[in-house]
Structure formats: C-alpha cells, structure tokens
C-alpha cells in the first residue's frame, strides 16, 4: 500500500504477521496506515495479550489521520494506550501488557522526521545505504547486561532471560516511552518487528532479505518466512516502510514527508540525530 505525502515523496509499505509454529495464539498486533507504523507484542493470561497489543495499536491509529502530529500528541496517545491496556481484565497475577515500537511522521519547521517510539523489546530499524541500524533500544534485562558490559550482544541473543522486558504498556508504575527524532530520507527503509523475527533471524540475514526484495510487501513476507524456517517459536510481525519518490497522480497528501529535499540530506545516509527524548530535532 502507499500514501502520497506531498509533491516529491511518498511512503510505500507492506506488513505481515504469523502465529508462528509453536504458539496457539497470535498476540502480536500491528498498525500500518498512511504515516503511522507500529508493532505491539502482547502478554498476559488467557487472551489478554492479544487484547493488549490490539488496544495499544488502536490507541495510536488516529495519529495516521492527524494533520498536526507532534511529540505531545504522540505522548498523549501513549498515555491513553497505557490507561486502556491497564484496564484490561486478565488472569490473577498476570496483568495484561504489551510492547510497542514503531514510527510516526511528524514535522518540525516544515521538515519531516520519523518520531521513533519504543516501549519494550519490539524493534525499529532503519536501512540506509545498505546498512541496517537499530533505532530503538530494547527495554530488556539482557540489554541492561550488555550496556553494563557484563555480556556480549551475541550472548544476549541466547540468554535464558532474553525475553524479560523491563518496560511495557500496562505495567505499573507507568513506563516511560522512548521518543527519538530521525530525519526522513529518500530511499530509506524502516523495519518494525516483534521479537519473533529478531529471535529467529540475525541482522545479517535481515539485511540480505531487505536488499533482495525491493517491494515492501515482498520483504515483509520474506522476513516472516525466514523466521518460520528458523523455527517460528514465537509470533512474528513485520512492517516495512519505504520512502519513495512520488508520482504525479498520487492524491490525498497528508502530513510529511513533504519538503523532504529541504532536509539537506539528499540521498545520502544520515545517522540518527540522537536519543533526545522530549527534545526537538533542531
Ligand atoms: Mn514476542
């Protein structure tokens, strides 16, 4: 699917989700709509996880339709998601919760940015100039061990407590979501996924598949297929979004990334602007 976003650029995306080969339910949910792209991975007793992830993405759906989305609007929606997930009935002792990661296009001084959002260990990546970079930082026990220098990233991937998240929507006290600005750059590709992908497929293989499949839907399908081939031990959800050069007959322009050319980025790779929670990009 695609969204016309102005005279010069538009977004093209694809998404795929699968229950996997071991789980009886698919507790992942995703949102891929115009300018908002998120994946949520739910947890909790009975069907609470499924409801939690669906509730979280539904709380963000209005962002895809909003004309003036900024970080305050996004944070208000995240607060609402937290309250709604918190209110879900679940099995005693097993509160409903969900991760959430992804991007929404926001404008700052007429320049489009991805506002990268993360709570938990679903991930948002940027593929730029053939290089894959994880934009989000996992809120997980093993990530804390890596950052403390106690284990390597490779050891984290095999660690018995690798699935333990340190932040989730629905937990108490309320989690602090990360919000980062990253410039929207022509030809870049954003990947948002649940840990059912990254637990089965390493980054090198993810890059190969992203480069092998120019169409976002084909890329999303290929990534889910690779996770299934590797065992599919968890639910798998993948959203792929491309920043493409626009076509004249695309109507219905919405928020950003218009004025892309003014970002001064051209087609070159740009590093992320930094992890500046609550700060503007300028
Ligand atoms: Mn999962």
């Amino acid at each position: 699917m695609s969204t016309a976003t102005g005279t010069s650029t538009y977004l093209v995306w694809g998404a795929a989700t699968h229950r996997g080969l071991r789980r009886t339910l698919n507790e992942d949910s995703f949102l891929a709509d115009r300018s908002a792209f998120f994946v949520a991975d739910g947890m909790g007793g009975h069907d609470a996880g499924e409801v939690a992830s669906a509730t979280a993405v539904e709380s963000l759906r209005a962002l895809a339709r909003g004309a003036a989305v900024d970080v305050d609007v996004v944070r208000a929606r995240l607060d609402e998601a937290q309250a709604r997930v918190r209110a879900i009935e679940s099995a005693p002792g097993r509160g409903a919760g969900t991760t959430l990661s992804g991007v929404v296009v926001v404008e700052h001084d007429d320049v489009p940015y991805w506002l990268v959002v993360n709570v938990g260990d679903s991930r948002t990546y940027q593929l730029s100039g053939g290089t894959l970079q994880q934009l989000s930082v996992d809120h997980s026990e093993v990530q804390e061990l890596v950052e403390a220098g106690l284990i390597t990233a490779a050891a984290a991937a095999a660690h018995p407590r690798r699935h333990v998240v340190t932040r989730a929507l629905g937990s108490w006290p309320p989690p602090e979501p990360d919000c980062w600005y990253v410039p929207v750059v022509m030809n870049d590709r954003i990947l948002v996924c649940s840990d059912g992908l990254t637990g089965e497929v390493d980054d090198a293989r993810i890059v190969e598949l992203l480069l092998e499949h120019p169409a976002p839907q084909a890329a999303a399908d290929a990534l889910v297929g690779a996770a299934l081939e590797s065992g599919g031990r968890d639910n798998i959800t993948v959203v792929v979004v491309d920043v493409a050069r626009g076509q004249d007959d695309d109507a219905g322009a919405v928020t950003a990334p218009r004025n892309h050319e003014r970002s001064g980025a051209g087609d070159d790779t740009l590093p992320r602007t930094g992890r500046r929670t609550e700060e503007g990009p300028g």
Side-chain angles (χ1 to χ4, degrees):
M1 297 183 72
S2 69
T3 297
T5 53
T7 52
S8 62
T9 62
Y10 71 136
L11 304 180
V12 190
W13 66 88
T17 188
H18 197 287
R19 182 167 54 86
L21 303 176
R22 304 274 184 86
R23 301 289 176 91
T24 54
L25 292 173
N26 188 348
E27 297 189 306
D28 289 356
S29 296
F30 70 88
L31 169 65
D33 186 9
R34 289 157 64 116
S35 59
F37 305 91
F38 289 97
V39 167
D41 179 345
M43 57 206 99
H46 301 302
D47 61 352
E50 223 178 333
V51 177
S53 64
T55 298
V57 300
E58 281 314 310
S59 299
L60 300 182
R61 186 173 293 279
L63 296 175
R65 310 280 167 177
V69 173
D70 62 20
V71 67
D72 294 331
V73 172
V74 175
R75 284 196 175 275
R77 286 285 162 185
L78 291 168
D79 288 346
E80 182 192 310
Q82 162 69 14
R84 288 177 62 189
V85 173
R86 187 79 189 151
I88 294 168
E89 297 277 340
S90 62
R94 293 199 65 199
T98 184
T99 71
L100 180 77
S101 193
V103 293
V104 56
V105 178
V106 298
E107 286 194 26
H108 194 92
D109 294 336
D110 275 348
V111 176
Y113 289 84
W114 304 111
L115 186 69
V116 181
V117 173
N118 189 56
V119 182
D121 67 350
S122 294
R123 290 180 177 175
T124 300
Y125 291 89
Q126 177 188 43
L127 181 72
S128 191
T131 300
L132 189 70
Q133 182 183 20
Q134 186 179 337
L135 299 176
S136 58
V137 173
D138 297 348
H139 300 141
S140 65
E141 281 195 2
V142 292
Q143 178 65 27
E144 290 182 357
L145 294 174
V146 169
E147 286 178 8
L150 296 172
I151 61 173
T152 63
H159 197 282
R161 291 181 67 80
R162 65 188 176 279
H163 298 299
V164 180
V165 297
T166 52
R167 295 186 214 178
L169 289 173
S171 64
W172 200 262
E176 178 70 15
D178 289 330
C179 292
W180 298 310
Y181 293 95
V182 174
V184 172
V185 177
M186 182 72 75
N187 296 330
D188 274 5
R189 172 170 271 189
I190 296 291
L191 164 66
V192 187
C193 61
S194 63
D195 66 340
L197 175 68
T198 51
E200 299 287 7
V201 185
D202 65 22
D203 283 6
R205 182 68 183 140
I206 289 173
V207 174
E208 279 178 8
L209 290 167
L210 288 172
L211 294 174
E212 214 172 280
H213 296 279
Q217 185 61 52
D221 290 338
L223 289 167
V224 169
L228 290 170
E229 277 172 30
S230 298
R233 282 158 284 198
D234 194 2
N235 309 143
I236 309 140
T237 302
V238 174
V239 176
V240 175
V241 190
D242 286 349
V243 183
R245 209 163 285 284
Q247 298 165 355
D248 291 341
D249 58 357
D250 274 310
V254 293
T255 54
R258 67 185 166 85
N259 295 335
H260 155 78
E261 306 296 352
R262 274 200 242 157
S263 71
D267 289 340
D268 295 337
T269 304
L270 269 190
R272 72 174 147 193
T273 50
R275 299 173 188 173
R276 290 182 294 178
T277 306
E278 294 279 7
E279 281 179 40

